[in-house]
Amino acid sequence: MSGQIETDQLREMPAMQFTETVISRVYPVLFGQVSGIGEYMQQLFPGNDERIYQSLLNKIYSELDDQYRKEKLVLFPFILQLQAENKLAESCKPFKSVKTHYTSMLVLLTEIRENLRAGDVIPVTGSIQELVNLLQVFEKNLVAVHVTKDKYLFAPFRSCKGCKSL
């Protein structure tokens, strides 16, 4: 499972290269991190405890997959079309649609951490702290990628003066 995703290079890329890089390089790392966390959880907890966490992690995976599909199939092509036509979006709805998945993932990550802090589970092998570390790396990457997309890819194409920042 890879570590921190470097977003500095994305900032300098033109929109087409930015979107292609996110799809081909960034999302595979994020999906790999979620899978790695799941594998670690399977080793860490006995059956019933693992199922609780695995359910939350499956929800994170589902939100990540939904976000990936919306960006790949809808938002990124929309942005590239806006760029080709030298236009701004008339509505922030496509951008906010993607943000809902991001926000849901952050809530689910918080729920996992809170459950771990409750201390109701005892690991079979490994450590809770290592799981927390894996979750933190994923969350840092998720936030860094979202902030970078919002600031350097989405913002130049939004025209919603009344909308709050995504």
Side-chain angles (χ1 to χ4, degrees):
M1 182 167 43
S2 298
Q4 194 68 24
I5 294 174
E6 294 298 326
T7 57
D8 293 342
Q9 293 175 346
L10 290 173
R11 297 173 184 178
E12 305 298 323
M13 293 179 181
M16 177 161 294
Q17 187 181 4
F18 191 121
T19 59
E20 288 173 355
T21 301
V22 167
I23 295 300
S24 67
R25 293 189 184 153
V26 172
Y27 272 109
V29 170
L30 294 174
F31 281 115
Q33 288 177 332
V34 173
S35 294
I37 292 167
E39 290 170 14
Y40 191 77
M41 283 181 178
Q42 288 175 346
Q43 297 170 7
L44 192 62
F45 300 119
N48 288 338
D49 292 332
E50 185 267 329
R51 279 189 227 129
I52 294 165
Y53 292 105
Q54 196 63 43
S55 173
L56 293 170
L57 195 62
N58 287 343
K59 290 177 185 176
I60 290 172
Y61 189 93
S62 178
E63 292 290 344
L64 184 62
D65 187 53
D66 288 346
Q67 179 178 309
Y68 166 79
R69 284 186 292 113
K70 280 184 182 175
E71 286 182 350
K72 181 179 180 180
L73 300 174
V74 178
L75 185 57
F76 290 173
F78 176 63
I79 287 171
L80 295 175
Q81 179 184 353
L82 290 172
Q83 182 182 41
E85 296 172 358
N86 200 21
K87 288 181 161 181
L88 297 176
E90 294 178 14
S91 166
C92 285
K93 187 176 180 180
F95 302 98
K96 289 181 179 179
S97 170
V98 169
K99 186 179 182 206
T100 60
H101 299 295
Y102 164 76
T103 303
S104 293
M105 286 184 277
L106 293 180
V107 168
L108 291 163
L109 286 165
T110 299
E111 188 174 344
I112 290 172
R113 277 195 307 275
E114 287 174 357
N115 286 336
L116 290 170
R117 280 191 206 120
D120 295 339
V121 294
I122 299 170
V124 174
T125 62
S127 75
I128 298 288
Q129 186 56 50
E130 179 60 23
L131 177 57
V132 169
N133 293 343
L134 293 172
L135 291 165
Q136 286 174 336
V137 169
F138 173 71
E139 184 174 14
K140 283 180 184 178
N141 284 332
L142 188 66
V143 170
V145 169
H146 177 78
V147 168
T148 302
K149 287 186 299 188
D150 186 49
K151 191 172 184 179
Y152 297 97
L153 181 63
F154 301 164
F157 298 100
R158 285 194 309 251
S159 65
C160 312
K161 293 177 176 62
C163 295
K164 294 180 182 177
S165 176
L166 293 177

